[in-house]
Amino acid sequence: MSLPARASAAALSAATALTLATACNMLPDEGPDATAPYAGLTAPEVVNKALAATRAAKSVRMTVRTATPEGPVEAYVATDIRGECTVTLSMGAAGTLELVRTDGTVRTRSDAAMLRSASPPQAKNLTGRWVEPTTADRHAKLAERYCDWETFLGGLAPKTGTARKRWTSAAASGTPALTVTGRTDDGKWTADIATEGRPFLLRLRLPRGGTGDGTAPVSVEFSEFDKPFKANSPKP
């Protein structure tokens, strides 16, 4: 084969490999993104931009999924910069707890299963009643911890240096998003960041964090940024 022919074959092979890598989302993040809305930014810079925007939100809703030794955990949270917060925390067989924090006062309401799983078990006549939790109520502590979205953002912030942009996708909300991944000693993390409007963090998956001991993987979906809400103080 002549030299020009060999060169043409090599160029064709390289082009084919590049096309396949692109189609399979295999290209690493070697430098700044040249496309809007993050033109000129590296993956770590994009994540830091998302952290700043999300921290600056006046309010947010979160859906948290993780696990504890008592079983799977699912929490629905609405919270704002004033400290107002509502949480519905379900812990599998351990039961369900609702929490409202308003004007600095915390009250919780538990179903029968949650009261039985408390340590020590709480009185049955408290089922469905709003009470001020004791300092020993670990379920209430976990629910109130979710009122602060820094619980999760703080888990991502030290990891931004490992970020790599991968592909554009659609988050659970349907908002177009850039997916960014990274890996640390804890494992792989993934963040979906809005590519329309403000660069809010839409979804976060961390290999650990979010529970009382912080050892279980956690996923968080963020939505309804800056949407006003009021946590009404329940009557005991």
Side-chain angles (χ1 to χ4, degrees):
M1 182 183 294
S2 67
L3 183 59
R6 285 197 299 269
S8 297
L12 178 61
S13 177
T16 302
L18 179 61
T19 300
L20 289 173
T22 302
C24 297
N25 297 320
M26 294 171 60
L27 288 176
D29 177 29
E30 296 293 349
D33 189 354
T35 59
Y38 303 118
L41 298 182
T42 64
E45 289 171 337
V46 172
V47 178
N48 287 328
K49 191 177 183 72
L51 283 171
T54 305
R55 283 172 167 150
K58 295 179 180 179
S59 62
V60 67
R61 268 70 165 177
M62 295 180 287
T63 300
V64 183
R65 294 182 177 89
T66 184
T68 70
E70 295 173 272
V73 174
E74 191 166 68
Y76 300 95
V77 184
T79 186
D80 66 16
I81 59 174
R82 300 171 300 165
E84 304 285 286
C85 181
T86 64
V87 183
T88 299
L89 176 72
S90 297
M91 302 183 67
T96 298
L97 174 145
E98 296 172 81
L99 178 144
V100 173
R101 187 175 71 189
T102 183
D103 296 327
T105 299
V106 175
R107 289 189 175 86
T108 60
R109 180 169 65 180
S110 302
D111 64 9
M114 184 65 79
L115 292 173
R116 287 195 303 269
S117 66
S119 182
Q122 297 183 31
K124 292 182 180 179
N125 63 3
L126 294 179
T127 301
R129 290 179 52 188
W130 289 101
V131 299
E132 291 190 31
T134 67
T135 56
D137 190 333
R138 67 184 189 280
H139 297 138
K141 285 183 178 179
L142 178 61
E144 189 174 7
R145 184 167 181 259
Y146 291 164
C147 287
D148 183 1
W149 58 93
E150 188 61 30
T151 295
F152 310 106
L153 303 185
L156 175 62
K159 310 177 192 297
T160 60
T162 69
R164 293 292 183 270
K165 285 174 286 191
R166 289 300 182 187
W167 57 81
T168 299
S169 62
S173 63
T175 302
L178 175 70
T179 297
V180 180
T181 65
R183 185 173 292 277
T184 67
D185 291 341
D186 294 338
K188 181 181 177 181
W189 60 266
T190 305
D192 292 347
I193 299 166
T195 56
E196 290 184 357
R198 295 174 65 187
F200 287 127
L201 186 63
L202 302 179
R203 181 185 290 175
L204 175 63
R205 292 176 288 274
L206 294 172
R208 62 176 59 197
T211 62
D213 57 13
T215 60
V218 60
S219 68
V220 188
E221 293 178 8
F222 301 87
S223 63
E224 299 187 47
F225 294 96
D226 295 328
K227 183 176 180 178
F229 85 99
K230 180 173 177 57
N232 296 314
S233 180
K235 295 182 180 179

